[in-house]
Amino acid sequence: MEVAIRYFSRSGNTKKLAEAIGKELGILPETVDVPLKRDVDVLFLGSSVYAYGLDENVRRFIEENTHRIGIVYNFSTAAIIKSTYSYVKKLLQAQGIKLADKEFYCRGEFGPLHRGKPGERDIKQVRVFASNALESWDKQ
């Protein structure tokens, strides 16, 4: 099974989650600036909400790597809006890529909001999320 982790993070919140997933799975997380070099069965895709939408870098990554992606597991942070799931789902559906039903989301620090987030508890939970995602995918 080929697995990759890609993320986009301006403030470092989503990067923390990507690094935790990478540590759990023994995979180097990379930014969405790095294209997929080979087909992947599972892509963990991390993003955040910027001005009520996904960053253009995430959109471009999906569009340029569509043919290499099996299924996407979404993980995200945001200060105000809930997860990026609906934004990512719309983008992936347009490209014919499957999005897993389960996702990981937590608050991210933004100025005075949600100081210390994602915290240690969030890091532990995202690691469990990643392990469970691969375990359930393996059983399919």
Side-chain angles (χ1 to χ4, degrees):
M1 168 181 19
E2 287 292 324
V3 181
I5 305 164
R6 293 295 187 277
Y7 68 93
F8 181 82
S9 184
R10 287 186 189 170
S11 63
N13 295 327
T14 305
K15 180 181 180 182
K16 287 179 188 176
L17 298 181
E19 289 172 344
I21 292 170
K23 187 174 181 179
E24 181 68 21
L25 303 179
I27 298 169
L28 177 68
E30 298 181 275
T31 67
V32 293
D33 298 330
V34 179
L36 295 170
K37 295 176 181 82
R38 59 186 168 277
D39 293 355
V40 296
D41 300 303
V42 177
L43 173 67
F44 287 91
L45 180 63
S47 58
S48 188
V49 177
Y50 301 105
Y52 298 98
L54 290 175
D55 188 271
E56 185 57 35
N57 291 299
V58 176
R59 292 180 191 280
R60 188 173 32 252
F61 173 81
I62 293 297
E63 290 167 0
E64 292 174 358
N65 291 276
T66 297
H67 63 286
R68 296 201 172 274
I69 302 169
I71 187 171
V72 171
Y73 282 87
N74 189 64
F75 65 97
S76 63
T77 62
I80 298 170
I81 295 178
K82 289 285 184 181
S83 85
T84 60
Y85 190 88
S86 62
Y87 299 102
V88 171
K89 183 176 183 176
K90 184 177 179 180
L91 178 61
L92 294 177
Q93 281 180 332
Q95 299 296 325
I97 302 170
K98 184 176 180 185
L99 176 63
D101 293 335
K102 295 187 178 178
E103 68 160 334
F104 182 85
Y105 161 79
C106 71
R107 293 288 183 195
E109 185 174 314
F110 182 71
L113 295 175
H114 316 295
R115 291 240 186 245
K117 296 293 274 176
E120 285 304 312
R121 183 174 182 223
D122 302 309
I123 298 302
K124 288 177 185 173
Q125 289 176 338
V126 78
R127 290 180 72 168
V128 169
F129 162 77
S131 290
N132 289 346
L134 286 189
E135 186 177 304
S136 66
W137 189 89
D138 238 359
K139 291 179 181 177
Q140 292 181 7

